[in-house]
Amino acid sequence: MSNQYQPQNTKDALRYLQQLANQYLNAPLTPAIIAYNHQQIQYLRQQVIPVAKNQEHNSQRSQEAQLMAQQLEQWERQRLAGQPGPYKMRHFQLQKPQTIKYQHLRQKSSQPGNYRTQHR
C-alpha cells in the first residue's frame, strides 16, 4: 500500500485496494505485477483484517477483507495456469464482466390483436 494515502477506516481501505486491483487485473502478467499482488494480499492480512476485528469490531468487514485476499490469490493462480479472462473486482469479489444484452424491438404484425392493427 502506498505511503501517500491513509484510509480513514477499513471500508475505505478495501475500496481503495479494489480500485488499485482493477487497474492491474487485466494487464499482462509480469513479475512486478505478481509482487504487487503479493504486497496487496499481505496488507489485507496484516493490517486491514486485524483492525477490522480488534479495533472496529466489525466481523463482516474482516470477512470481506479475507475473501478479497483469497480472490486475489485465486486470480494469481488462474493467470499463472494460463487461464486468461477479463476480470473486474466488484463488491470485493472477482467477477467476469457480463456480455452486453441488446434490446430487440418487436416487429409489428398484421394479425388482429389490438384495435389499431385491425383492418376495417
Side-chain angles (χ1 to χ4, degrees), residues 82-105:
Q83 298 174 350
Y87 291 106
K88 182 174 184 171
M89 188 159 285
R90 188 165 179 250
H91 301 296
F92 315 122
Q93 295 181 0
L94 282 179
Q95 296 178 345
K96 289 188 177 186
Q98 296 178 352
T99 59
I100 298 173
K101 295 182 180 178
Y102 294 100
Q103 294 182 354
H104 298 284
L105 298 176

Side-chain angles (χ1 to χ4, degrees), residues 2-112:
S2 153
N3 292 335
Q4 299 154 349
Y5 180 74
Q6 295 297 321
Q8 302 297 321
N9 55 22
T10 55
K11 187 172 187 176
D12 193 26
L14 286 174
R15 286 182 180 164
Y16 187 68
L17 285 174
Q18 176 176 290
Q19 182 182 16
L20 290 174
N22 280 331
Q23 292 178 0
Y24 70 83
L25 286 177
N26 294 321
L29 204 57
T30 62
I33 288 180
I34 293 172
Y36 187 71
N37 190 44
H38 283 289
Q39 182 182 6
Q40 302 293 24
I41 292 168
Q42 291 303 319
Y43 177 77
L44 281 167
R45 291 211 169 120
Q46 293 175 355
Q47 293 183 359
V48 175
I49 294 172
V51 168
K53 279 184 183 177
N54 302 329
Q55 291 179 3
E56 294 180 358
H57 305 291
N58 193 337
S59 63
Q60 179 185 2
R61 196 151 309 139
S62 68
Q63 289 173 354
E64 287 175 348
Q66 217 164 13
L67 178 65
M68 187 174 178
Q70 290 171 355
Q71 293 281 317
L72 288 173
E73 284 179 341
Q74 177 186 356
W75 168 82
E76 183 181 340
R77 279 188 302 239
Q78 287 178 344
R79 289 295 300 268
L80 287 173
Q83 298 174 350
Y87 291 106
K88 182 174 184 171
M89 188 159 285
R90 188 165 179 250
H91 301 296
F92 315 122
Q93 295 181 0
L94 282 179
Q95 296 178 345
K96 289 188 177 186
Q98 296 178 352
T99 59
I100 298 173
K101 295 182 180 178
Y102 294 100
Q103 294 182 354
H104 298 284
L105 298 176
R106 288 182 46 199
Q107 297 293 324
K108 293 183 180 180
S109 69
S110 62
Q111 297 176 355

